């Protein structure tokens, strides 16, 4: 254990979109709310209130399935602008506690409160964050506290909703040991299935595997996964200074062409939503970018990007939309249909500061539901 452990908080709002809907529409409180697309067609659930989750409804489930499982569920169309606004307010509260903050998505951030903990205990800080979010926004946030991002993230999820889980300094490996390997960031469902085949079910069992085994299984990521399974985690909370690009992308169930006016309007609306998410992330971090990139994947999986640099940095949704649309519009062709579209912004400037030239690339992916 290092002589001066870090104190890292992971904060994640509970049923975020659904909670905002219940906050703004009191008649929805206490009821199963399904935020997302239409059940007819291929709409999916962005999120469900905890009342609806009791019926097995979860994010990314087709809305048609959700409605079958939870017939009394009330479907609400998402209002991304409102969620972005709320997110800004919440990130503002976090930023009041520490400047060392890494927003991960609209409702989730890591905070390094090591310095703030010189004045009061990190647990007091965690409680203060929960109380301030509740008092100032009316929403509940689940918080995990530990010496690294790995344990903090897992801890924040353990007692949702309205949870507070503290992993004691030095108790990281013990905390992780009984948990499923899939809980470790970097061990996806495929890796987890492969590990199960080898009899490795828990993070504790993973931690006991020999060093060479990790390299064989995870290649270059082996060392990091091994250390984190053993409770060693030095991954820093990456503030916007280290972020090099901010992007949002989405894959479609059916390939989307851009021939007719209607198809073009549909593509345009996707670009608008993606740009909105990116603009929201920029605003959250208080940064602007000069380069706009559009990522495209075609029916045959060919993937490429097109980018352009603006004369001055922006965080304006409208500017990102028009630039991204110009880039995509040029690529439309009669024989082309898109499986995936993404919008990214890079070349950052602190909104109220000098240019930012930093080496570490970090791509923040925003989830998007259509
Ligand atoms: P999450 O934090 O994963 O989910 P949540 O806040 O709804 O619920 P909880 O944290 O209590 O488990 O995601 C935050 C928001 O992001 C969520 O409210 C809706 C959106 N989202 C999607 O649009 N699609 C997805 O697949 C997921 C997981 C989330
Ligand atoms: Mg959440």
């Amino acid at each position: 254990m290092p002589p001066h452990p870090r104190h890292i908080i992971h904060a994640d709002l509970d049923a975020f979109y659904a909670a905002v809907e219940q906050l703004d529409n009191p008649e929805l409180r206490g009821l199963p709310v399904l935020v997302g697309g239409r059940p007819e067609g291929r709409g999916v659930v962005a999120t469900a209130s905890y009342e609806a989750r009791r019926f097995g409804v979860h994010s990314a489930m087709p809305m048609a399935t959700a409605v079958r499982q939870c017939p009394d569920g009330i479907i609400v169309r998402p209002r991304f602008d409102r969620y972005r606004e709320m997110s800004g307010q919440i990130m503002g509260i976090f930023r009041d506690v520490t400047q060392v903050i890494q927003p991960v998505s609209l409702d989730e951030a890591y905070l390094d409160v090591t310095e703030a903990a010189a004045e009061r205990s990190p647990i007091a800080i965690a409680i203060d964050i929960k109380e301030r979010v509740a008092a100032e926004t009316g929403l509940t946030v689940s918080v995990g506290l530990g010496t690294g991002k790995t344990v903090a993230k897992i801890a924040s999820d353990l007692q949702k909703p309205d949870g507070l889980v503290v992993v004691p300094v030095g108790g990281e490996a013990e905390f992780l040991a009984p948990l499923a390997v899939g809980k470790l960031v970097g061990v996806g469902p495929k890796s987890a299935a492969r590990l199960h085949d080898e009899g490795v079910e828990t993070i504790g069992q993973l931690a006991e595997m020999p060093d060479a085994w990790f390299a064989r299984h995870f290649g270059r990521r082996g060392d990091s996964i091994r250390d984190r399974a053993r409770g060693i985690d030095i991954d820093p909370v990456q503030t916007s200074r280290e972020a090099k690009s901010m992007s949002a992308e989405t894959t479609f169930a059916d390939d989307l062409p851009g021939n007719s006016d209607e198809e073009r309007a549909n593509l345009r609306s996707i670009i608008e939503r993606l740009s909105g998410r990116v603009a929201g992330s920029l605003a959250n971090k208080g940064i602007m970018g000069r380069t706009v990139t559009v990522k495209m994947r075609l029916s045959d999986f060919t993937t490429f990007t097109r980018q352009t640099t603006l004369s001055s940095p922006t965080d304006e949704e409208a500017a990102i939309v028009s630039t991204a649309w110009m880039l995509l519009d040029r690529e439309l062709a009669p024989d082309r249909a898109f499986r995936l579209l993404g919008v990214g912004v890079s070349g950052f400037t602190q909104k109220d500061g000098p240019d930012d030239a930093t080496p570490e690339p970090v791509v923040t992916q925003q989830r998007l539901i259509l």
Side-chain angles (χ1 to χ4, degrees), residues 12-16 107 160:
D12 186 321
L13 277 287
D14 302 315
F16 182 51
D107 84 325
K160 270 182 166 291

Side-chain angles (χ1 to χ4, degrees), residues 9-241:
I9 281 175
H10 181 259
D12 186 321
L13 277 287
D14 302 315
F16 182 51
Y17 294 1
V20 173
E21 295 305 332
Q22 289 177 323
L23 180 74
D24 291 353
N25 307 287
E27 70 279 7
L28 295 177
R29 293 181 197 166
L31 298 179
V33 173
L34 311 170
V35 181
R38 300 176 207 286
E40 55 282 351
R42 43 169 220 270
V44 292
V45 177
T47 196
S49 68
Y50 277 78
E51 293 85 355
R53 292 187 196 191
R54 282 193 218 113
F55 296 85
V57 176
H58 56 78
S59 293
M61 175 183 267
M63 188 59 91
T65 312
V67 171
R68 265 201 306 280
Q69 285 186 213
C70 180
D72 293 335
I74 300 162
I75 301 174
V76 180
R77 303 285 294 163
R79 295 180 298 146
F80 296 109
D81 287 347
R82 176 66 177 132
Y83 310 146
R84 258 197 309 275
E85 179 185 69
M86 266 304 197
S87 174
Q89 200 185 342
I90 292 154
M91 296 298 162
I93 296 173
F94 295 166
R95 203 163 268 119
D96 233 23
V97 174
T98 175
Q99 292 291 313
V100 189
I101 161 176
Q102 177 182 0
V104 180
S105 69
L106 285 185
D107 84 325
E108 182 188 343
Y110 291 102
L111 287 71
D112 187 329
V113 299
T114 311
E115 238 173 74
E119 283 164 29
R120 51 190 180 143
S121 83
I123 297 177
I125 295 171
I127 293 170
D128 185 44
I129 289 173
K130 287 175 64 69
E131 289 179 349
R132 280 195 60 186
V133 169
E136 293 172 34
T137 71
L139 299 173
T140 59
V141 59
S142 291
V143 170
L145 169 66
T147 59
K149 286 158 76 173
T150 301
V151 289
K153 178 164 176 73
I154 294 174
S156 75
D157 199 44
L158 279 186
Q159 279 180 10
K160 270 182 166 291
D162 204 14
L164 171 57
V165 173
V166 179
V167 181
V169 176
E172 296 80 8
E174 197 184 331
F175 166 80
L176 293 169
L179 303 175
V181 281
K183 292 228 177 224
L184 213 53
V185 172
V187 179
K190 272 198 202 143
S191 300
R194 226 158 30 102
L195 292 172
H196 284 199
D197 290 344
E198 292 210 26
V200 179
E201 306 264 345
T202 65
I203 299 177
Q205 289 169 330
L206 180 63
E208 282 167 15
M209 301 310 276
D211 285 5
W213 180 93
F214 282 93
R216 260 203 327 275
H217 264 76
F218 296 105
R220 277 187 308 157
R221 298 186 305 136
D223 283 0
S224 154
I225 290 179
R226 176 201 64 204
D227 285 352
R228 289 186 298 111
R230 294 176 183 173
I232 301 161
D233 180 10
I234 55 163
D235 183 26
V237 172
Q238 310 255 17
T239 62
S240 54
R241 286 181 189 286

Side-chain angles (χ1 to χ4, degrees), residues 277-316:
R277 298 295 293 261
V278 174
S281 300
L282 293 172
N284 275 344
K285 295 197 165 194
I287 53 178
M288 303 192 293
R290 272 187 74 168
T291 301
V292 176
T293 302
V294 172
K295 176 175 168 185
M296 290 160 267
R297 178 170 298 144
L298 305 178
S299 313
D300 64 0
F301 283 89
T302 317
T303 307
F304 57 102
T305 59
R306 293 286 179 264
Q307 63 182 52
T308 189
T309 296
L310 307 169
S311 51
S312 60
T314 188
D315 60 352
E316 302 248 337

